[in-house]
Amino acid sequence: MRSKLVGIPSVCQRSGMTSRIEQREQTRRTLVHEGRRLFADKGYGAVGLSEIVRAAGVTKGALYHHFDSKTDLFRAVLQEVQDEVGTQVAAAADAHDDPWTQFTAGCRAFLAASTHPDVQRIMLIDGPAVLGWNEWRTMDEAASARHLAEALTGLMDKGVIPRQPVKPLTHLLSGAMNEAALFLAGSDRAEDLSDTITALTGILESLRR
């Protein structure tokens, strides 16, 4: 009987610890969600920490438990946006069986995703300005350029495009698509997206044998 009673507090302690962990994770998710909403609506520079914690319903102490600064919170928001764009690109590519069609569909999906206001403001406009070009490029490479390089390598292995150095080609295409996305972010013409996709398709087609 004594051994059973001894075990009861440990179960309760584990349950309480799990509950606290879940609460902390929920607080973090709420901060990222509200930070993203405010950054997208107003821009990073126009949003203060007091506004973020008020919207999230937490204290500044709770925010600093998860993030070192507003910049650190923005970094987490940017990571979330980049992951979502990557998921959309992967889904567009996976909808096809042909490797070339997968590649071009993924590139077009990236441009289409870049027209969303959240993506434009957070990933393309504020991202480089807030974190600096070098860190933004590092995050961009981890989120999308690496997958672009893998896709290009696969196309070369299958003989779809000629064998050539992958790294410079990846940077050229990634730079072109990021610049096109920035163009779309500042555009107010609905037809600019279709025109840009047409231009991108022409560039991609020139890679084929």
Side-chain angles (χ1 to χ4, degrees), residues 2 31 59 70 77 99 111 118-119 135 138 140 142 172 180 207:
R2 186 173 184 277
L31 285 165
T59 64
K70 185 175 77 166
V77 169
L111 286 186
D118 280 24
V119 176
E135 183 176 356
T138 299
D140 181 63
L172 284 167
L207 296 174

Side-chain angles (χ1 to χ4, degrees), residues 8-205:
I8 291 174
S10 339
V11 172
C12 293
Q13 288 170 359
R14 287 197 298 271
S15 176
M17 184 178 298
T18 300
S19 177
R20 287 193 296 272
I21 292 173
E22 290 173 348
Q23 288 175 354
R24 285 196 294 268
E25 286 301 310
Q26 180 58 49
T27 298
R28 188 183 190 280
R29 286 193 296 270
T30 301
L31 285 165
V32 171
H33 174 78
E34 293 299 331
R36 175 174 177 169
R37 180 180 64 81
L38 291 168
F39 292 146
D41 288 346
K42 299 184 176 183
Y44 176 86
V47 178
L49 283 178
S50 297
E51 187 175 8
I52 294 171
V53 298
R54 186 167 59 251
V58 301
T59 64
K60 281 190 178 180
L63 184 147
Y64 283 124
H65 178 77
H66 295 278
F67 304 102
D68 295 336
S69 61
K70 185 175 77 166
T71 301
D72 195 30
L73 172 60
F74 178 83
R75 187 179 290 109
V77 169
L78 174 59
Q79 182 69 65
E80 181 179 89
V81 172
Q82 288 179 324
D83 289 345
E84 288 180 4
V85 171
T87 298
Q88 292 175 41
V89 169
D94 291 344
H96 305 276
D97 296 324
D98 175 67
W100 177 255
T101 306
Q102 288 179 336
F103 174 64
T104 55
C107 291
R108 289 194 296 270
F110 173 81
L111 286 186
S114 300
T115 63
H116 194 281
D118 280 24
V119 176
Q120 291 177 348
R121 168 64 72 176
I122 294 169
M123 191 173 83
L124 301 172
I125 298 173
D126 281 349
V130 173
L131 300 181
W133 181 248
N134 288 334
E135 183 176 356
W136 181 83
R137 279 192 63 194
T138 299
M139 292 183 68
D140 181 63
E141 287 179 6
S144 59
R146 176 172 57 87
H147 299 295
L148 179 59
E150 291 172 356
L152 289 168
T153 300
L155 291 172
M156 291 177 195
D157 291 341
K158 293 178 173 64
V160 178
I161 62 176
R163 181 73 62 181
Q164 57 193 289
V166 173
K167 190 171 183 179
L169 181 59
T170 299
H171 280 279
L172 284 167
L173 290 178
S174 179
M177 285 189 285
N178 281 332
E179 187 62 30
L182 284 170
F183 161 69
L184 291 172
S187 168
D188 57 3
R189 298 172 67 250
E191 59 268 31
D192 279 341
L193 174 59
S194 60
D195 289 347
T196 303
I197 288 177
T198 298
L200 174 65
T201 301
I203 292 173
L204 297 179
E205 287 293 338

